[in-house]
Amino acid sequence: MYAVWKLCWSNLIIKKVQNSFIAIIIMLSTFLLTTAVLVINNTNRVYEDMHAKTHGAHQILRLENGIHDPGQVHQWWAAQEGVRASDMMRYRYLSSMSHAGEEIPNVDLFMMNTPQGPYSVDKLLFVQGEERKAPEPGTAWIPTSLAYSNDIKVGDPIEFKTDKGTFQLRVAAVVIDISYCSPFATSGRIWMNDQDYDTHMSPLHGGDMYMIGLRFDDYSQHRAYWEGFARALGGPYLESVKDFESISSYYMIANRIISFIMVFLAVVMISVALYTLGFTISDAILSSYRTIGIIKSIGLTSRKVVSVYVSQYTLIALMSVLPGIGLSFFFSNQIVNSSMAYLNTGTDRNVQFLELAIWVGAVVIAVIFLSALLFSYKAHSVQPAQAIRYGMSEKKGSRALGMESTWKKKLLKLGSLPIEMVIGLRGIRKNARGSVLILVISALCTAVLVFGFIFVYSISSIHGTIGKWGYDSSDLSIRIDNPAVLSYDQLREDVLTDVRVKNYSRYGDANAVLPLNQELSAGKNQDTMGILLTVAEGNYDEIGYENIKGRNPLNDQEISVGVNIARSLNIDLGDPVDIYIEGVKHTLTVTGIYQAIANMAYTGRITAEVIQEGSRDDESVMNTVFINLQDGVSIEGFVNELHLRYGSAIGTASQAALVDEVFSQAVMILILPMSIMILLFLIITFVIIYSISRINMKKESRTYGIYKSIGMTSRQIRMSVTAGIFVISTLGALVGIPLGLTGLPPLLNFILADYGIVKVPLIMNGAGVAAMFPLSIMAACIGCWLASRSVRTTSPRILTME
């Protein structure tokens, strides 16, 4: 055993640089894989812990259309064992909020009449401000999602616009409202004092709406409660329900994307590390063939020779995995804190060092151990007599001479190339396994660089593809806030007929319920499915709504549905769908299927004529106008002109402002992890090619000594070697570009499919792709150039003798 450890330690000392680079590859692979595991588990943990701490709702009922009696609904749920029901909370909708003189775009506000605490469901956690049972008169509590994203602090005045005018409230507290403070969400609950609610909200047009939060002791049993509830109602519940999956989805989506990409890249990196390990061990056995023969001839068994290499690389893995796990703790902490910032109570939150992370490290070590055992097994075949005589097996020696003769013949055909290029190409052909590895790592590195750039660029430039994400792509929107000052008919006559207006469409939304048949309801654990409908008066195509299949609806007999609706109901183009829209049953034909990130694509699109057939007045539904302007017309100038003419009677926002409000946080969350992963692959490319080049330099030392003895300078030799690496890495980069553009995006489609995006809208940027192309080549060439420094300081005589 002493001899095994002595040889193992000797290999570690003699090949310090090579072993260090293997250690770096293993460490970075462990880092990526462990970070992904920690991010996924801690994201779930942080949310679940906060959800339990605040007694978060599993479902939220919104009774807005007068279809069911709110008192009867609340009474039934409050009487059920195993269910906690919140108070029956009154609220009204507003869509205008200003801070520091600037209107906050794209907000949907639930102006809540705050019940007296304590709250049995959705307890509010106070992050800033004094905790009270209810806000004082003239003040309000706002969620962290609105406060953090708009830099609103306690004591700041905020202004709201209604059809009766404007009113101000002072922010008395910033609270974590678990059901309405997720990232990317545009809705939030504003908690008002009872007197302020009666003063400012009760006089508004329409009646009060009611919200009831439900928390189940066992959420998996909620279907049984809903069956009993339907029997009590005498039919299906036809108002709006927000499920737990929808409540939690936006907390998880960013980290799921990051973690999925990390796991994929970690697996790729580990595969490359294993291939590099196999290459290194094979080369070590071949370069020490005669030594192994001598050792075996004096009595060391093949098993002990194999154990030398297994011990060596297992020890390297042990030393590499621990810092990789430690580094992942810091990095995953940054990702989780960034994506879960709206649940931050102000105290330090650290990622839990899960036992699973230790298991990940143990798996990596086990894989390295088994790989080292597999690759070093060829030491069994070393025959002492052949090894001592030939320095390799007799068969391999004969084949090498034949290959050399063939290569010399091929070199004669390359006489027109510079001598440096000929020598470089000879090195590629002679070291085939190393060349294949360089080709693969260059292709993978370029693919990751291209994909990472395209993905981040597409998210940061999402306004160019916003229609493919399920939103409109109109130039601006106008919302009438005071119908007494400006009616829709007056707006149409004064503004929408302006020659600068290219087209327009009036827009709104409505709640709907889809009944599920028995087979589908068994799979969904429910009898109905609540969805949000987009309602448009005009042409959906003109305002930029897109479908991935079929077309938008054109009349009152048609509907376009989100991909998750189509998948849940197993419907396709041309199929009829029974749907209750605000209590009125319709049978509509599916004309289109679209993807949407909002509401996880559990949505639909109908024309305004469908609503006009119902019991509600379409004026209460159609509350926004989307406008496209003629080419060359300034959007900002047009908006300023509207404000000068109508003042606070309207609210306007450009499409770019609305998009930035929703997706700017996504860019900030994604940029750091993607940048780190791109940097890691560049480092891996450099490390692997440096290591391969050093191995090849030692193998070819006698040849390079001959080159120097006949007059070639060290620089010429180094240029020759680097030229060969340049050729093979360029080929790899050329393969990597289409792989990054077409091979990796389907993996992203897979992870986002449940969130309503089945084909991620990526924006191709030729200049950016061109900028990514040379990076892996540069890393490869720099690694090779630095590895060849030994030629510069070694004499021809020593090189030839080696």
Side-chain angles (χ1 to χ4, degrees):
M1 193 63 186
Y2 174 77
V4 171
W5 282 109
K6 190 70 175 177
L7 290 170
C8 173
W9 186 252
S10 175
N11 285 342
L12 290 172
I13 297 298
I14 293 173
K15 300 179 179 180
K16 293 189 292 292
V17 176
Q18 182 178 315
N19 291 327
S20 298
F21 284 158
I22 292 290
I24 290 172
I25 297 171
I26 297 172
M27 183 192 72
L28 294 180
S29 303
T30 306
F31 162 69
L32 277 180
L33 194 58
T34 309
T35 298
V37 171
L38 289 176
V39 167
I40 292 173
N41 282 275
N42 280 276
T43 298
N44 293 336
R45 177 188 62 83
V46 170
Y47 178 76
E48 289 170 1
D49 288 352
M50 189 63 71
H51 196 263
K53 182 178 181 180
T54 60
H55 309 300
H58 290 120
Q59 292 179 325
I60 295 178
L61 314 185
R62 299 207 306 266
L63 297 101
E64 302 173 343
N65 303 314
I67 300 172
H68 305 293
D69 177 17
Q72 179 187 355
V73 171
H74 182 265
Q75 184 179 9
W76 191 92
W77 283 105
Q80 304 307 303
E81 292 187 9
V83 182
R84 274 187 275 184
S86 71
D87 290 345
M88 191 171 65
M89 298 175 287
R90 293 191 299 161
Y91 71 95
R92 296 290 187 97
Y93 275 123
L94 285 183
S95 55
S96 175
M97 175 178 170
S98 299
H99 172 248
E102 295 288 334
E103 183 172 358
I104 299 172
N106 200 29
V107 291
D108 296 311
L109 305 174
F110 300 94
M111 309 301 292
M112 309 297 298
N113 180 21
T114 308
Q116 292 288 324
Y119 303 108
S120 58
V121 178
D122 277 353
K123 176 185 175 183
L124 302 178
L125 295 183
F126 287 72
V127 179
Q128 299 175 20
E130 182 181 355
E131 182 174 354
R132 294 176 176 271
K133 290 187 176 181
E136 294 183 318
T139 68
W141 302 336
I142 67 172
T144 51
S145 54
L146 284 174
Y148 294 168
S149 60
N150 297 286
D151 196 28
I152 302 175
K153 298 180 176 61
V154 170
D156 289 357
I158 49 178
E159 186 175 86
F160 302 93
K161 200 162 33 170
T162 71
D163 58 8
K164 303 293 184 181
T166 61
F167 67 93
Q168 277 193 354
L169 296 174
R170 181 176 56 83
V171 176
V174 175
V175 297
I176 293 176
D177 184 359
I178 190 71
S179 294
Y180 283 96
C181 65
S182 62
F184 319 126
T186 59
S187 58
R189 294 194 283 201
I190 305 295
W191 300 89
M192 302 177 64
N193 176 271
D194 183 70
Q195 296 178 20
D196 293 327
Y197 184 89
D198 289 336
T199 301
H200 300 297
M201 306 309 300
S202 293
L204 300 181
H205 176 73
D208 286 330
M209 304 173 188
Y210 295 89
M211 187 179 296
I212 303 170
L214 303 177
R215 180 174 176 83
F216 298 86
D217 291 347
D218 184 358
Y219 180 57
S220 65
Q221 301 299 316
H222 72 279
R223 187 188 178 197
Y225 289 100
W226 276 93
E227 289 174 348
F229 182 47
R231 289 193 296 269
L233 288 178
Y237 175 77
L238 300 177
E239 292 272 16
S240 173
V241 181
K242 187 176 183 180
D243 292 318
F244 177 72
E245 291 75 16
S246 177
I247 294 171
S248 61
S249 63
Y250 283 126
Y251 287 103
M252 309 297 178
I253 184 170
N255 285 350
R256 289 285 170 87
I257 294 172
I258 293 169
S259 299
F260 185 83
I261 294 174
M262 279 187 173
V263 168
F264 170 75
L265 295 183
V267 170
V268 170
M269 197 175 287
I270 289 174
S271 300
V272 171
L274 295 179
Y275 189 94
T276 306
L277 182 66
F279 173 82
T280 304
I281 292 175
S282 297
D283 178 79
I285 291 173
L286 290 176
S287 61
S288 305
Y289 209 89
R290 181 173 282 112
T291 304
I292 294 173
I294 294 171
I295 291 173
K296 294 181 83 173
S297 70
I298 61 176
L300 204 66
T301 65
S302 296
R303 183 177 180 181
K304 290 185 177 180
V305 172
V306 169
S307 65
V308 171
Y309 295 102
V310 173
S311 302
Q312 175 186 344
Y313 290 103
T314 303
L315 186 59
I316 291 173
L318 283 169
M319 292 186 296
S320 307
V321 162
L322 292 179
I325 293 175
L327 188 61
S328 71
F329 177 81
F330 169 78
F331 189 57
S332 57
N333 198 58
Q334 299 299 313
I335 296 174
V336 172
N337 284 334
S338 174
S339 61
M340 306 297 281
Y342 294 160
L343 298 183
N344 188 358
T345 59
T347 57
D348 291 335
R349 182 201 297 129
N350 289 321
V351 166
Q352 287 188 357
F353 198 78
L354 303 174
E355 292 182 6
L356 192 57
I358 302 297
W359 280 108
V360 170
V363 168
V364 172
I365 293 172
V367 169
I368 297 297
F369 171 83
L370 293 174
S371 300
L373 184 63
L374 175 65
F375 294 129
S376 60
Y377 198 76
K378 62 177 61 179
H380 274 277
S381 62
V382 175
Q383 301 298 321
Q386 290 181 2
I388 296 171
R389 181 174 181 180
Y390 299 109
M392 62 183 70
S393 66
E394 188 174 0
K395 180 179 179 181
K396 188 173 180 63
S398 300
R399 188 169 66 231
L401 289 173
M403 291 172 59
E404 184 70 16
S405 177
T406 302
W407 178 246
K408 287 179 179 178
K409 292 178 182 178
K410 291 181 179 180
L411 277 178
L412 296 176
K413 301 177 183 179
L414 301 176
S416 59
L417 294 177
I419 186 62
E420 289 85 357
M421 184 61 71
V422 173
I423 294 174
L425 293 176
R426 177 185 180 278
I428 291 175
R429 175 64 182 84
K430 191 172 182 180
N431 300 290
R433 290 189 63 195
S435 299
V436 170
L437 180 56
I438 292 171
L439 180 71
V440 170
I441 190 62
S442 299
L444 290 174
C445 182
T446 303
V448 170
L449 290 172
V450 169
F451 172 71
F453 170 80
I454 290 295
F455 179 58
V456 173
Y457 177 78
S458 298
I459 297 297
S460 60
S461 306
I462 200 168
H463 56 272
T465 58
I466 195 63
K468 299 182 187 298
W469 291 85
Y471 296 95
D472 72 284
S473 59
S474 56
D475 290 335
L476 72 149
S477 64
I478 299 177
R479 184 189 64 247
I480 298 176
D481 292 326
N482 194 340
V485 175
L486 178 66
S487 66
Y488 172 71
D489 290 337
Q490 186 179 350
L491 178 70
R492 181 173 55 191
E493 182 178 345
D494 294 349
V495 177
L496 304 182
T497 56
D498 192 304
V499 294
R500 292 171 295 176
V501 175
K502 185 177 181 179
N503 54 61
Y504 68 91
S505 177
R506 195 155 57 136
Y507 158 90
D509 55 55
N511 293 317
V513 173
L514 292 166
L516 304 180
N517 61 42
Q518 187 172 5
E519 180 182 351
L520 290 172
S521 64
K524 295 291 292 182
N525 284 328
Q526 60 193 65
D527 297 314
T528 61
M529 179 189 299
I531 67 172
L532 182 68
L533 291 177
T534 299
V535 185
E537 181 184 82
N539 191 313
Y540 272 104
D541 296 330
E542 288 182 350
I543 55 178
Y545 284 103
E546 298 186 22
N547 294 275
I548 59 172
K549 194 175 182 181
R551 60 172 175 80
N552 286 309
L554 299 176
N555 56 56
D556 58 2
Q557 300 297 317
E558 298 177 344
I559 185 172
S560 182
V561 298
V563 291
N564 278 335
I565 293 291
R567 181 166 51 187
S568 299
L569 300 182
N570 193 26
I571 57 177
D572 206 339
L573 301 181
D575 291 342
V577 174
D578 290 332
I579 183 170
Y580 290 87
I581 303 175
E582 300 181 341
V584 179
K585 184 178 180 181
H586 302 263
T587 300
L588 306 177
T589 301
V590 177
T591 62
I593 298 173
Y594 62 89
Q595 60 181 15
I597 195 71
N599 294 322
M600 300 172 67
Y602 286 104
T603 54
R605 297 171 185 163
I606 59 174
T607 62
E609 289 82 3
V610 181
I611 293 295
Q612 291 168 358
E613 293 178 1
S615 58
R616 282 184 68 185
D617 179 10
D618 69 299
E619 291 287 345
S620 64
V621 178
M622 315 294 290
N623 51 18
T624 304
V625 179
F626 290 136
I627 296 177
N628 283 315
L629 301 178
Q630 299 287 354
D631 295 340
V633 177
S634 169
I635 298 175
E636 184 178 352
F638 192 84
V639 169
N640 290 336
E641 185 179 323
L642 291 177
H643 278 298
L644 289 174
R645 186 187 302 183
Y646 300 110
S648 62
I650 63 170
T652 60
S654 67
Q655 184 255 9
L658 298 178
V659 171
D660 290 343
E661 183 71 19
V662 176
F663 289 98
S664 58
Q665 188 185 5
V667 175
M668 298 305 297
I669 292 174
L670 292 171
I671 280 179
L672 177 62
M674 293 300 295
S675 300
I676 293 294
M677 285 184 276
I678 287 172
L679 179 61
L680 289 182
F681 257 82
L682 285 174
I683 293 173
I684 285 293
T685 301
F686 170 82
V687 166
I688 290 177
I689 293 174
Y690 183 96
S691 180
I692 293 172
S693 298
R694 278 184 64 91
I695 292 172
N696 291 340
M697 289 298 299
K698 295 197 72 174
K699 289 169 61 177
E700 298 294 320
S701 59
R702 180 174 299 177
T703 304
Y704 297 145
I706 295 171
Y707 291 159
K708 291 189 77 171
S709 68
I710 61 175
M712 286 188 71
T713 65
S714 298
R715 182 180 179 83
Q716 285 178 307
I717 296 173
R718 296 177 72 188
M719 288 294 294
S720 300
V721 177
T722 305
I725 297 298
F726 173 81
V727 170
I728 196 68
S729 61
T730 300
L731 292 175
L734 291 172
V735 173
I737 289 177
L739 178 62
L741 294 177
T742 61
L744 298 184
L747 299 174
L748 196 58
N749 297 339
F750 174 78
I751 193 64
L752 285 178
D754 288 340
Y755 293 95
I757 299 295
V758 295
K759 186 177 181 181
V760 178
L762 298 177
I763 302 174
M764 296 298 112
N765 184 297
V769 171
M772 297 298 106
F773 174 74
L775 293 182
S776 65
I777 301 173
M778 289 170 59
C781 292
I782 291 172
C784 178
W785 181 260
L786 294 178
S788 63
R789 285 181 300 178
S790 58
V791 175
R792 184 184 58 188
T793 57
T794 309
S795 69
R797 179 173 178 274
I798 295 176
L799 284 171
T800 306
M801 289 176 63
E802 288 181 355

